Amino acid sequence: MKSLNEKKQIQLAEEEIKKYASIVESDPNRLRYHLMPPVGLMNDPNGLIYWKGTYHVFYQWMPFATTHGAKFWGHYTSRNLIHWERQAPALAPSEWFDRNGCYSGSAVDNDGVLTLFYTGNVKDDDGTRHTYQCMAISSDGLHFEKKGVVVHLPDGYTAHFRDPKVWKHENKWYMVIGAQSEQLDGKAVLFRSDDLMHWEHIGAIAGGEDGNFGYMWECPDVFRLGGKDVLIVCPQGLQPEGMHYQNVYQAGYFVGQLNYETGQYAHGTFTELDRGFEFYAPQTMVDEYGRRIMIAWMGVPDQDEDKHPTIAYRWVHALTLPRELVLVGDKLYQRPIEQLQLLRSDEVHYPNVSLHKETMQFDGVEGKTVELLLKHIEGQGVLSIDIQNDVSFSYDFEKRVATLQRESFARRGEKEKRQCVLSNLRTLHIFIDTSSIEIFLNEGEEVFTARFFPHEKNEHIVFKTNGRAAFRLYKWKLC
Ligand code: FRU
C-alpha cells in the first residue's frame, strides 16, 4: 500500500497533467515516436526491464515545473518497445527517506515480484544532503509499495552517492552505485546481497584518483556482453580534450573483466557513447530476445536546460530511441532496434545517387518524422546533409572527420558543432523526429544525438558536396 502522502502527491501530478495537456500537445516541437513527459521535466530513464511480457520504462520526472526538483518516477509500458502507454506514476517523493526526490535507479525480477531500487534524496533546510538507497515492490507491475532503505552511505564517500543498478550474477545480487569519494573523485561502488534486503559493501570497482577523472560519477550500469564486462558511467568534471568531452557532463564506458569475488575490475580506457549534444544517463536491459538494449536521456544536466523552446509549452526533454548494443572488439556499437521498422511507411528508394559538386533535393525525401538510410557511401571532399535549414551533418572524406552542426537554441544566431574522427563512412542511418535527430554511422560505430529547433518549420532535406559522393538512398516516413 502507498502512504496517504504518496497517494496525494500522485493525485496532484495527475491533476497537473490534465491541467496542461492541451498546451503541451499544441507544441509544434512535440516528438512523435519518442518518450516524453506528459507535462514538466523528464530526465534519466530508470528501471528498464522486460517483465512478464511487458517492457517497463520509468523515468525521472518533475511534474510541477520544467526545472529539476523533487523527482517522481513516471512510468511507460510497451509490448514491443515502439508503442507506449502511459501508466500512473510509480513513485512519488513522500517519506522521510525520499522526501526531496525519488532519484534514479533500476528494476529486477525477484521471483515474480517486480522490485525497484532508487535513491532517496533528502535535503535539510540548511542544505545538508542525505542519500538512502531504497526498495519498492510490485506484484502487478503497476502499483508499487515502498519498502524503505536497504543501503546506507558507507564510510569514505560524500552524500553524492546514488543511482543503484542491480543485477544477478551466479545466484547472487549485485548493486553498483555512482559515487563521490571524500577526496572528491568519481567512483563506481559495488555491493553484494543474497536477498536484496541486506547488502555487503565490496568497494569501488573503478574511479578517478587525485582528481584525474571527474569529481562525481553518476548512473553506473554493469553488464556482460561479448564475453566481457562493460561498465557504463557518467563522469562529471572532465575537461574538453580536442573533439572529446565537449558537453557539460559525459556518458561513456569501460570494457574489461570484473572479478566478482574481489571486486577488482581490470579495464581499458573510457570511451564516449555519443558524439552529439544531448545524451546522458543511459541505462540498459535485456530484451525478450536476449539482446542488450540501451535507452538514454536526450538531455544533459546544466546544459542550456532552461533555454529549450518547449518550456513555453510546459514540458522539456525526451528519451532516446532504444538501441541494441553490440561489442565489436572493445568498442560498443549502437543500433536502432529492428522493431522501429514497424513505424515505416511511404518508402522512397534511389538506388544510384551520384553527386558531383552540387546541391540536391530528392522527390519524396523530406518531412518532419523521417528515417533516412544511406548505404555504400563513397566520395571525395565533403558530403553534407542539411535538415530543416537548421542542423547539418557532414563527413570530410579527406580529413576523416564527421561533424554535426546546428544553430544554438540557447544563443540564437550562433552555430555550434560536435565532431569525431571516423576512418571511413560506409553507412548513415538517420532518425528525425520533429525536433530530435539521431545519426548512426557505420552500423552504430559512432552516434550523434541532438535536439534542434528551427526558426521556421520546413521539411527540407538537402544533400551537398563540394567534391563527389555516391550512395544508395532510402527514406521512410515514420509514424
Ligand atoms: C543524472 C541525475 C542522477 C540523479 C537524477 C536526479 O541526470 O543527476 O544522478 O539520480 O539525475 O534526477
Side-chain angles (χ1 to χ4, degrees), residues 43-44 60 68 71 103-104 162-163 218-219 280-281 297 301:
N43 55 304
D44 318 352
Q60 287 289 285
H68 293 272
K71 298 285 167 60
Y103 275 10
S104 284
R162 55 178 171 264
D163 312 334
E218 295 189 316
C219 300
Y280 196 71
W297 173 29

Side-chain angles (χ1 to χ4, degrees), residues 321-324 334-340 429 431 440 444:
L321 290 176
R323 304 165 180 188
E324 181 187 350
Q334 300 169 49
R335 299 182 181 153
I337 54 164
E338 229 173 271
Q339 295 94 305
L340 285 162
H429 201 169
F431 290 81
F440 299 83

Side-chain angles (χ1 to χ4, degrees), residues 92-149:
S94 58
E95 312 305 319
W96 67 266
F97 49 80
D98 64 13
R99 65 185 152 90
N100 300 103
C102 298
Y103 275 10
S104 284
S106 56
V108 294
D109 177 5
N110 180 26
D111 254 335
V113 177
L114 181 53
T115 307
L116 309 181
F117 293 89
Y118 67 98
T119 298
N121 180 49
V122 174
K123 268 185 196 159
D124 296 340
D125 291 342
D126 65 3
T128 310
R129 187 188 274 267
H130 306 274
T131 177
Y132 305 100
Q133 312 316 313
C134 308
M135 184 169 123
I137 58 170
S138 172
S139 49
D140 65 359
L142 297 174
H143 303 88
F144 294 84
E145 183 178 332
K146 292 180 184 172
K147 288 290 181 191
V149 181

Side-chain angles (χ1 to χ4, degrees), residues 35 49-58 75-87 141-142 285 287-288 295 322 337 339 342:
L35 287 176
I49 191 167
Y50 177 68
W51 186 74
K52 296 191 178 170
T54 299
Y55 292 95
H56 294 260
V57 169
F58 305 85
H75 188 192
Y76 284 105
T77 56
S78 171
R79 292 271 172 186
N80 59 4
L81 282 173
I82 300 297
H83 301 108
W84 295 93
E85 201 180 324
R86 188 179 75 78
Q87 303 295 349
L142 297 174
M285 67 173 151
D287 76 357
E288 64 199 282
I295 298 177
I337 54 164
Q339 295 94 305
L342 291 171

Side-chain angles (χ1 to χ4, degrees), residues 354-357 378-383 397 465-470:
S354 175
L355 304 176
H356 190 80
K357 293 192 178 159
E378 48 169 78
Q380 281 166 4
V382 179
L383 167 67
F397 291 95
T465 176
N466 61 2
R468 189 183 65 72

